[in-house]
């Protein structure tokens, strides 16, 4: 259960936050882009299993640590037992909630171990709280919350560079964002449509890693679940997207293929 990070002990707020982000990224990958592999590993016939995330952005399904007490707080035990007793999306959401709780436990374990004072703990929590939770990424509720909150921050967000959606026959072409420097000049009559697209997608979160949009990144939208993804997270390039009529993210593709 080393996963590339068991012996790593962050000692500053920045190091603990970096550790948190790495573990979080690994667990998000398990529950989104690698969900088929994660699903298969969580066999209900096996013993109590846990989902671990590591600072290296890797994940692992394994038995709990044997030492008592363990070196770090342990994730939720027995996640595999509920797999076949509920709908997959509800099971993944349940694992996501417990994963969020575990990440906080690990972060503040380091804080307590290395003597973070009140100011350090508050700063660490604020840094963590600026990221969407794993639950929000997996269920898509983080995107909904952003839309609700947009009205209160519209003046601030209007100064940011926002994504533009490439439209090439909306019904016969996958939807995607091109990096700003790759976009072609638009005719004046398309200006209003672009502004509407910018408002809709400017605060979009990646369905795989949970990070926000940046103007120099390529994004693509799943036509089934309508979540947006960094091209690099789902291994889709702009050139490849040009030839995709209907894009399905790894999670939706796996749902269709699973018996």
């Amino acid at each position: 259960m080393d996963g590339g990070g068991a012996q790593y002990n962050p000692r500053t707020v920045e190091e603990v936050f970096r550790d948190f982000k790495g573990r979080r990224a690994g667990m998000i990958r398990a529950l989104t882009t690698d969900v088929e592999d994660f699903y298969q590993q969580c066999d209900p016939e096996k013993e109590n299993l846990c989902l671990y995330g590591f600072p290296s952005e890797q994940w692992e399904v394994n038995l709990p640590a044997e030492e008592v007490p363990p070196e770090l707080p342990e994730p939720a035990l027995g996640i595999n037992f509920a797999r076949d007793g509920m709908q997959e999306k509800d099971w993944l959401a349940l694992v996501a909630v417990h994963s969020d709780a575990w990440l906080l436990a690990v972060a503040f374990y380091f804080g307590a171990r290395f003597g973070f004072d009140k100011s350090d703990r508050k700063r660490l929590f604020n840094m963590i709280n600026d990221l969407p939770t794993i639950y929000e990424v997996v269920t898509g509720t983080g995107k909904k919350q952003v839309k609700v909150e947009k009205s209160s921050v519209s003046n601030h967000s209007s100064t940011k560079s926002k994504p533009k959606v490439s439209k090439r026959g909306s019904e016969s072409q996958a939807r995607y964002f091109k990096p700003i420097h790759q976009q072609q000049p638009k005719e004046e009559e398309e200006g209003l449509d672009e502004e509407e697209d910018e408002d809709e997608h400017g605060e979009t979160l990646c369905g795989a890693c949970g990070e926000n949009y940046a103007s120099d990144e390529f994004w693509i939208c799943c036509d089934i679940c309508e979540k947006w993804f960094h091209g690099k997270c789902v291994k889709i390039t702009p050139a490849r997207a040009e030839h995709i009529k209907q894009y399905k993210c790894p999670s939706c593709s796996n749902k269709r293929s699973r018996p």
Side-chain angles (χ1 to χ4, degrees):
M1 195 185 67
D2 54 17
Q7 301 300 317
Y8 174 63
N9 288 322
R11 294 174 179 270
T12 68
V13 172
E14 288 72 20
E15 288 176 347
V16 172
F17 181 61
R18 192 178 307 121
D19 178 273
F20 176 94
K21 286 186 66 177
R23 295 178 189 274
R24 171 181 171 276
M27 300 178 95
I28 288 176
R29 182 173 293 115
L31 298 174
T32 55
T33 54
D34 295 348
V35 68
E36 176 69 13
D37 188 18
F38 172 69
Y39 185 93
Q40 295 299 332
Q41 290 190 37
C42 292
D43 186 348
E45 298 300 320
K46 295 182 180 179
E47 298 183 49
N48 291 310
L49 295 175
C50 302
L51 172 61
Y52 294 89
F54 299 104
S56 58
E57 301 188 7
Q58 298 174 350
W59 63 272
E60 180 180 59
V61 171
N62 210 333
L63 296 171
E66 295 183 0
E67 67 258 28
V68 178
E71 181 181 356
L72 291 175
E74 284 289 294
L77 184 66
I79 58 172
N80 51 316
F81 295 147
R83 191 194 74 176
D84 295 343
M86 54 200 307
Q87 291 188 4
E88 181 182 341
K89 64 183 180 68
D90 294 330
W91 174 67
L92 292 174
L94 179 64
V95 176
V97 169
H98 283 292
S99 298
D100 283 320
W102 178 67
L103 287 176
L104 286 171
V106 171
F108 282 88
Y109 162 82
F110 285 129
R113 179 175 177 182
F114 296 113
F116 287 7
D117 60 19
K118 180 178 179 180
S119 175
D120 287 338
R121 293 194 302 271
K122 182 177 181 180
R123 187 157 63 95
L124 175 60
F125 178 79
N126 287 338
M127 293 168 74
I128 290 173
N129 201 40
D130 282 340
L131 296 174
T133 64
I134 296 178
Y135 175 83
E136 290 171 344
V137 173
V138 170
T139 62
T141 56
K143 182 177 179 180
K144 295 176 184 177
Q145 290 178 4
V146 166
K147 288 184 178 180
V148 171
E149 295 169 359
K150 279 182 71 174
S151 60
S152 64
V153 296
S154 58
N155 290 336
H156 174 69
S157 62
S158 63
T159 62
K160 296 181 179 179
S161 177
K162 296 181 179 179
K164 297 181 180 179
V165 181
S166 292
K167 296 181 183 177
R168 299 172 186 267
S170 58
E171 296 301 322
S172 61
Q173 179 70 38
R175 292 170 291 169
Y176 52 87
F177 299 156
K178 279 189 174 182
I180 295 298
H181 68 276
Q182 292 183 7
Q183 295 175 11
Q184 298 297 323
K186 303 290 184 179
E187 299 295 333
E188 289 184 4
E189 58 267 23
E190 295 182 3
L192 293 177
D193 289 338
E194 288 181 6
E195 290 178 4
E196 291 175 1
D197 290 331
E198 289 176 359
D199 288 339
E200 180 181 357
H201 300 292
E203 305 269 352
T204 299
L205 304 176
C206 175
C209 70
E211 298 295 333
N212 290 95
Y213 167 84
S215 61
D216 60 347
E217 295 177 311
F218 171 75
W219 283 51
I220 188 165
C221 179
C222 174
D223 290 306
I224 305 302
C225 66
E226 296 192 343
K227 291 182 180 179
W228 287 89
F229 298 85
H230 290 107
K232 63 184 179 182
C233 290
V234 291
K235 299 179 181 178
I236 298 292
T237 64
R240 183 178 174 188
E242 294 278 355
H243 302 285
I244 298 176
K245 292 185 177 180
Q246 184 185 57
Y247 174 67
K248 297 179 186 177
C249 69
S251 179
C252 291
S253 297
N254 291 331
K255 288 178 182 177
R256 290 295 182 91
S257 63
R258 185 175 300 145

